[in-house]
């Protein structure tokens, strides 16, 4: 079990789809899958550049958690019969380029990227948690538990980035703002197409 205790076992394909708000669940699972896919590609890009550096093991540890997140959303897509975003090929390339590009700025640049992305994603997860609680917290109990755990993991990655001098990156606020604007656009598009 991961640190938070959420089981990452194979989700039952017998999820009862009766009574759920299918459009809302489709959007949540589609965009979260896309986000975790993109995060995996970002960490792959960072590891390609910094994997043998002193920060390599830290990046690898965060990447391993993202791999678990993606695996779980792959399972949820099957269980809830949700199609992936058609933008996955684009996120494949864009994520890797963002990860490698930020890592080319050095350890601090990679950590600045991590802080920007993980802050955006944890805020996004919080919005989803609020929406599901407003819908029906009992009906969406399993999904809420998963999203809360993953939000906490993303928050931990954010804090790791800060602990490793993300804010000391030249033009940190400009870089962070640019990455977060891209993240918001990716969320908007991935929810819809």
């Amino acid at each position: 079990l991961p640190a938070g205790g959420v089981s990452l076992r194979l989700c039952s394909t017998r999820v009862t789809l009766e009574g759920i708000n299918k459009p809302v669940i489709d959007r949540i699972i589609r965009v979260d899958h896309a986000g975790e896919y993109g995060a995996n590609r970002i960490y792959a890009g960072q590891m390609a550049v910094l994997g043998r550096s002193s920060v390599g093991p830290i990046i690898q540890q965060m990447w391993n958690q993202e791999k678990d997140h993606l695996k779980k959303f792959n399972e949820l897509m099957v269980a809830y019969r949700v199609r992936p975003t058609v933008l996955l090929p684009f996120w494949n390339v864009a994520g890797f380029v963002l990860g490698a590009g930020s890592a080319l700025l050095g350890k601090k640049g990679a950590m600045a990227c991590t802080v920007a992305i993980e802050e955006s994603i944890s805020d996004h997860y919080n919005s989803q948690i609020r929406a599901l609680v407003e819908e029906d917290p009992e009906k969406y109990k399993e999904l809420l538990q998963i999203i809360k755990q993953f939000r906490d993991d993303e928050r931990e990655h954010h804090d790791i980035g800060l602990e490793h001098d993300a804010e000391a990156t030249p033009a940190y606020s400009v870089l962070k703002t640019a990455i977060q604007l891209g993240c918001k656009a990716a969320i908007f598009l991935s929810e819809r197409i």
Side-chain angles (χ1 to χ4, degrees):
L1 287 179
V6 173
S7 171
L8 296 179
R9 73 189 186 293
L10 186 62
C11 186
S12 169
T13 55
R14 295 175 288 183
V15 170
T16 303
L17 299 180
E18 285 181 32
I20 69 164
N21 188 336
K22 184 82 165 107
V24 168
I25 297 305
D26 284 0
R27 279 173 73 142
I28 286 173
I29 293 175
R30 180 177 303 111
V31 72
D32 291 355
H33 174 265
E36 297 299 347
Y37 181 82
N40 269 271
R41 299 305 297 148
I42 290 168
Y43 284 117
Q46 289 182 350
M47 284 299 289
V49 175
L50 295 172
R52 294 182 182 205
S53 73
S54 63
V55 78
I58 295 161
I59 294 170
Q60 184 65 57
Q61 176 189 352
M62 292 187 289
W63 188 15
N64 289 343
Q65 283 185 309
E66 298 297 349
K67 289 176 183 180
D68 288 341
H69 296 182
L70 180 59
K71 179 182 176 193
K72 186 62 179 177
F73 276 109
N74 281 331
E75 294 168 359
L76 290 171
M77 290 187 76
V78 171
Y80 283 92
R81 299 181 195 116
V82 177
R83 68 160 179 79
T85 177
V86 299
L87 298 171
L88 282 183
F90 180 75
W91 301 148
N92 178 27
V93 174
F96 189 88
V97 168
L98 178 58
S102 66
L104 287 171
L105 298 173
K107 170 189 139 181
K108 294 173 187 172
M111 291 298 146
C113 177
T114 296
V115 167
I117 293 288
E118 302 297 22
E119 183 177 296
S120 293
I121 298 307
S122 61
D123 289 348
H124 177 68
Y125 277 152
N126 279 334
S127 296
Q128 290 180 337
I129 290 165
R130 282 190 295 276
L132 291 173
V133 166
E134 286 173 14
E135 281 276 330
D136 185 342
E138 270 310 304
K139 189 184 300 179
Y140 302 112
K141 186 176 180 179
E142 179 188 7
L143 190 55
L144 277 164
Q145 182 183 6
I146 292 164
I147 294 172
K148 285 176 182 176
Q149 177 59 52
F150 291 177
R151 184 251 347 250
D152 293 347
D153 292 345
E154 308 305 357
R155 211 62 188 139
E156 181 184 339
H157 299 171
H158 169 272
D159 294 347
I160 288 169
L162 290 176
E163 290 166 12
H164 288 86
D165 303 321
E167 295 171 308
T169 305
Y172 170 75
S173 62
V174 173
L175 180 64
K176 181 180 174 188
T177 300
I179 291 171
Q180 288 184 327
L181 285 172
C183 195
K184 285 180 183 180
I187 288 168
F188 178 84
L189 293 170
S190 294
E191 282 180 331
R192 289 160 177 79
I193 56 176

